[in-house]
């Protein structure tokens, strides 16, 4: 069984999905089911006070007994806020320590602030969190996050919500080549081929939200992403043929070809 | 009379109350929530004992959809 192992725990799916931007919890659940994901990210937000107390909750639609809930710090712009958010998340999820750290630096681009990210990672690892960390595709920062003790490094393919795909496969290859912890592409995947390429590069997994949620048919896209991640993984394991401009080596035998036709005009 | 800031909103209560009583007043009893008082986590097991004081800032959070 080719499982994704994070912090000593094995997962059958290498696709991790977010739960934001869906029409309702029913659609969220249907898309998550179709994706086959074991790990789903959630955000931590202030509860709506004074609204319908019987309003359904996300964790009713996606029960922690069935899914590994990965609380994230999306929306945090400082190490301190990210750490506070995850302390709340750990309390909310009964001591669950696997978390996604993400500290942003700019509300327009949502580009990560790696300095705050490094600082938050240090605090969280000391406090016993198992940190999967979102970062830029800078190989030096990725290595430093691993050395701090993060259990997975998650560089962006391109900016959050952009759907621009993998803009710098070379940096991702360097990160993958150097890492001793799982490397997951997080953010920027737009369609199935992007996810397949990430896996073919040797990524251990892919985390996405908008690519599925913003598709015209999110449930169908979730199914496509599942197949793309599986196909990309298998292609990576199979080892692709080398690329060359031409081969002079046809796929069919060169011998035994029937006699060339006589020239009728002769 | 005490004043609290709950999720950024000022709120007044006629008498001091515990975290558990605040949760009840907000109709959140039994809901999966986490609570922070002045930047520090209050574990769920301590809601009954945790007294809230005038001027405290309280954050009450839940899990919502997100990437």
């Amino acid at each position: 069984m080719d499982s994704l192992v994070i912090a000593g725990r094995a997962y059958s799916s290498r696709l991790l999905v977010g739960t934001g931007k869906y029409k309702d919890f029913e659609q969220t659940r249907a898309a998550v089911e179709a994706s086959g994901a074991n790990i789903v990210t959630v955000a931590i937000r202030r509860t709506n006070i004074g609204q319908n107390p019987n309003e359904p909750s996300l964790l009713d639609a996606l029960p922690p007994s069935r899914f590994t809930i990965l609380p994230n710090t999306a929306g945090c712009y400082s190490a301190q806020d990210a750490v506070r958010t995850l302390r709340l998340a750990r309390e909310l999820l009964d001591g669950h320590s696997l978390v996604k750290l993400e500290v942003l630096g700019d509300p327009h681009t949502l580009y990560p602030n790696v300095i705050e990210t490094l600082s938050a990672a240090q605090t969280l690892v000391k406090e016993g969190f198992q940190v999967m960390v979102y970062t830029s595709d800078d190989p030096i920062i990725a290595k430093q996050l691993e050395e701090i003790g993060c259990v997975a490094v998650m560089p962006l393919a391109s900016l959050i919500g952009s759907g621009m795909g993998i803009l710098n496969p070379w940096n991702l290859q360097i990160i993958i080549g150097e890492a001793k912890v799982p490397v997951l592409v997080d953010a920027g995947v737009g369609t199935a081929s992007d996810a397949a390429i990430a896996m073919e590069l040797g990524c251990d997994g892919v985390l996405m939200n908008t690519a599925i949620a913003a598709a015209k048919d999110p449930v169908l896209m979730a199914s496509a992403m599942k197949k793309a991640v599986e196909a990309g993984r298998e292609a990576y394991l199979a080892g692709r043929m080398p690329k060359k401009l031409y081969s002079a080596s046809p796929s069919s035998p060169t011998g035994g070809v029937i006699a060339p036709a006589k020239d009728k005009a002769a | 009379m005490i004043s609290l800031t709950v999720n950024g909103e000022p709120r007044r209560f006629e008498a001091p109350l515990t975290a558990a009583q605040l949760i009840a007043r907000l109709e959140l009893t039994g809901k999966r929530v986490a609570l922070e008082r002045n930047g520090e986590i209050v574990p769920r097991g301590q809601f009954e004992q945790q007294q809230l004081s005038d001027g405290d800032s309280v954050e009450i959070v839940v899990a919502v959809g997100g990437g």
Side-chain angles (χ1 to χ4, degrees):
Chain A
M1 177 73 190
D2 172 46
S3 355
L4 168 63
V5 179
I6 298 172
R9 192 168 161 195
Y11 301 91
S12 59
S13 172
R14 291 176 178 274
L15 174 58
L16 288 68
V17 297
T19 55
K21 301 183 181 175
Y22 287 100
K23 192 177 67 182
D24 50 33
F25 288 153
E26 198 180 326
Q27 191 188 52
T28 311
R29 167 139 194 168
V32 170
E33 295 281 2
S35 77
N38 307 129
I39 302 178
V40 299
T41 66
V42 303
I44 304 299
R45 290 291 181 272
R46 286 169 164 173
T47 182
N48 286 326
I49 291 168
Q51 293 197 357
N52 176 9
N54 297 318
E55 200 183 354
S57 98
L58 177 65
L59 296 182
D60 295 332
L62 299 170
S65 55
R66 276 205 55 209
F67 299 96
T68 295
I69 304 294
L70 188 67
N72 74 21
T73 61
C76 290
Y77 286 84
S78 72
Q80 195 191 8
D81 288 348
V83 169
R84 279 175 63 205
T85 298
L86 291 178
R87 285 176 185 149
L88 282 163
R90 180 156 68 177
E91 183 58 27
L92 191 69
L93 296 167
D94 307 316
H96 170 89
S97 60
L98 187 70
V99 296
K100 172 181 160 180
L101 171 64
E102 156 180 339
V103 188
L104 301 179
D106 171 39
H108 294 291
T109 61
L110 305 180
Y111 206 89
N113 181 330
V114 295
I115 295 167
E116 291 295 309
T117 303
L118 284 162
S119 161
Q122 257 155 352
T123 307
L124 291 166
V125 168
K126 268 188 214 140
E127 294 187 10
F129 284 92
Q130 294 173 321
V131 182
M132 300 177 69
V133 61
Y134 172 65
T135 183
S136 68
D137 61 6
D138 179 331
I140 306 303
I141 299 296
K143 197 70 198 164
Q144 287 182 359
L145 288 164
E146 176 186 319
E147 284 165 1
I148 285 170
C150 292
V151 298
V153 175
M154 307 199 291
L156 50 76
S158 48
L159 296 173
I160 294 172
S162 71
M164 291 286 283
I166 296 168
L167 298 185
N168 195 337
W170 315 111
N171 271 27
L172 288 179
Q173 271 182 334
I174 295 172
I175 293 172
I176 293 162
E178 296 291 317
K180 294 188 183 66
V181 295
V183 175
L184 291 85
V185 153
D186 180 0
V189 165
T191 188
S193 52
D194 297 333
I197 290 168
M199 296 308 292
E200 288 171 10
L201 287 171
C203 282
D204 296 282
V206 179
L207 197 167
M208 65 179 75
N209 190 152
T210 312
I212 296 174
K216 280 191 188 138
D217 184 340
V219 178
L220 190 56
M221 186 57 91
S223 163
M225 291 300 186
K226 176 180 196 271
K227 291 169 184 161
V229 167
E230 287 171 357
R233 177 64 181 176
E234 288 185 3
Y236 168 72
L237 293 175
R240 64 152 297 149
M241 64 165 284
K243 278 186 190 177
K244 47 200 165 186
L245 190 54
Y246 60 88
S247 86
S249 165
S251 303
S252 304
T254 48
V257 179
I258 59 168
K262 294 248 163 38
D263 190 347
K264 281 179 186 164
Chain B
M1 188 74 120
I2 68 161
S3 298
L4 303 177
T5 304
V6 182
N7 287 357
E9 304 271 340
R11 281 175 179 263
R12 289 175 161 275
F13 298 90
E14 60 285 357
L17 72 178
T18 63
Q21 286 165 335
L22 175 65
I23 297 273
R25 293 284 290 272
L26 300 175
E27 299 185 14
L28 295 171
T29 305
K31 298 272 170 194
R32 192 189 272 268
V33 297
L35 187 147
E36 187 191 63
R37 171 180 172 256
N38 299 332
E40 300 289 334
I41 295 286
V42 178
R44 227 175 299 168
Q46 291 174 24
F47 282 1
E48 297 286 344
Q49 298 87 36
Q50 180 64 59
Q51 204 64 44
L52 300 175
S53 316
D54 191 41
D56 277 357
S57 179
V58 176
E59 296 282 351
I60 304 172
V61 300
V62 291
V64 302

